[in-house]
Amino acid sequence: MFSRHRSVIPGFGLSLGFTLTYLSLIVLVPLAAAFLKASGLTWPEFVEAVASPRVIASYKLTFGASFAAGVVNAVFGLAVAWVLVRYPFPGRRIVDALVDLPFALPTAVAGIALTAIYAPNGWVGQWLEPHGIKIAYTPTGVFIALTFVGLPFVVRTLQPVIEEIEPELEEAAATLGASRLQTILRVVFPPLLPALLTGFAMAFARALGEYGSVVFISGNMPMRTEITPLLIVTKLEQYDTAGATAIATVMLAVSFTLLLGINLLQKWSRRHQTA
Amino acid sequence: MASAVSKLHRTVTDPVVRPRALRDPLWLRVTLMTVAFLFLAGFLLLPLVSVFAEAFRRGIGAYFASFNDADGWHALRLTLLTAAIAVPANLVFGVAAAWCVAKFEFPGKSLLITLIDLPFAVSPVISGLIYVLVFGAHGWFGPWLDAHDIKIIFAVPGIVLATIFVTFPFIARELIPLMQAQGKDEEYAAITLGASGWQTFRRVTLPNIKWGLFYGVILCNARAMGEFGAVSVVSGHIRGVTNTLPLHVEILYNEYQFVGAFAAASLLALLALATLVLKSVVEWAHARHHG
């Protein structure tokens, strides 16, 4: 709250004023433009734009593939985080640094690299092709790309929580006669759950909006491998700005709800850690 | 959300050899390590290696020949220019935001922090779209801009704006927790001893936050140079005019010039590797100073 005495440290008005102006000009006003533009549509127009069969098909693919990628990242991310925190092995720091690659590698580069690997003549694709398994240009390809972009989230949210588990708890369980596996499942795992859920939600949220890494490997066939962000771009290129904006507001509403949910999860997670 | 990338605010410890009772059984260790390494090899190492393998597929000569491309060089220059504007802009914002959040109490502070995070939650495509709605031909200021012959969308200013939006929170999100943890005692002391505000910032605050600042700049720069979706929407893909390096990769790829596409991509992959190395170095230096 405002204190009666002015702080001796200067620059409050200047720094807050600049922060709010910059935030409004770059973020808040342009975002408001999207919602105002969408509100210019009549209700039937809006429903037609956001719920036509082609758009519904894109939601199904985007949400389905993002969910599957989040689940895979939760399972394997847990294993990676556990190995990185608990097992000493040579080169651990290099492997640890490499986990951030999906953040650092431009999405277009990831997109063409994954396509090259999983195309029918690619390093992996050529072994699957004879068995009738196709990855590039199918929904499975979308799933692969989304798994790549979401990979760091689960690992990075779990690592500090695993590090902070007090060894006394595990000692107590061992002294009381629990086997190592029982200790892991009943003592170590439950406090990790909030962080695991947070990491999953972050990977899922990131995957929903992803564009660059997916458009190359998906093949972009309407009704089959067309993700929602691509549909927004397509509508924009066809000068259907209102349609693109309507879909964008639906996606923004979902993203902001997820952001709120992630913030609540993080609070829950922190309470768990300090308890 | 991308604060998940940041490892600056925690101390990283090496695994210690644990007493036998607290050690995982051998079969479990072997299984987990195999699963983790196969997963990372398949999803991280393979794509990274394949960029360079594809770039050199037709030999070193073809690789270097593909750099003889005026549009490619123009795209590289535009990417550097965009980052050279977006990163300093967000740096000034990050310092200002962290200064008011960490050094003062005011109502609505946690709302402000949430709002700073918003761009992380927005799809890159939508980040581009919102600027089209404001500055595009049918946008709010479209007719006015048109009348005054100012181009923002399908021109360089739009690319810079979209890049600033997607990299908006990076530096602020590093500095806010860092400056909050450091408190305001040192600044208070400096001011009481007669230093001016600017002197206090330059001689007391800046040395304390320099690693956090550098860390934020590295992450912000990597995203600014690599952004694809947002820039793709506002650029209009005019070759040699509004193409950034990631967009140039897409154009070459779609024209089946695979060696050229992967050669340009290899430059961006080198940027990513340099980012990871610098990031680790700063984490190490920061831990040594504050550990």
Side-chain angles (χ1 to χ4, degrees), chain A residues 38-51:
Chain A
S39 70
L41 293 172
T42 66
W43 183 246
E45 282 171 343
F46 183 79
V47 171
E48 166 62 25
V50 302

Side-chain angles (χ1 to χ4, degrees), chain B residues 74-134:
Chain B
H74 184 275
L76 177 64
R77 276 200 301 276
L78 181 56
T79 292
L80 295 176
L81 172 75
T82 306
I85 301 172
V87 176
N90 284 334
L91 177 63
V92 173
F93 163 72
V95 172
W99 183 264
C100 67
V101 166
K103 306 294 176 198
F104 303 96
E105 295 305 319
F106 56 92
K109 198 195 258 190
S110 61
L111 177 68
L112 177 64
I113 297 176
T114 310
L115 288 179
I116 291 174
D117 252 354
L118 272 190
F120 279 149
V122 176
S123 166
V125 167
I126 299 176
S127 311
L129 169 72
I130 57 178
Y131 288 102
V132 174
L133 296 178
V134 176

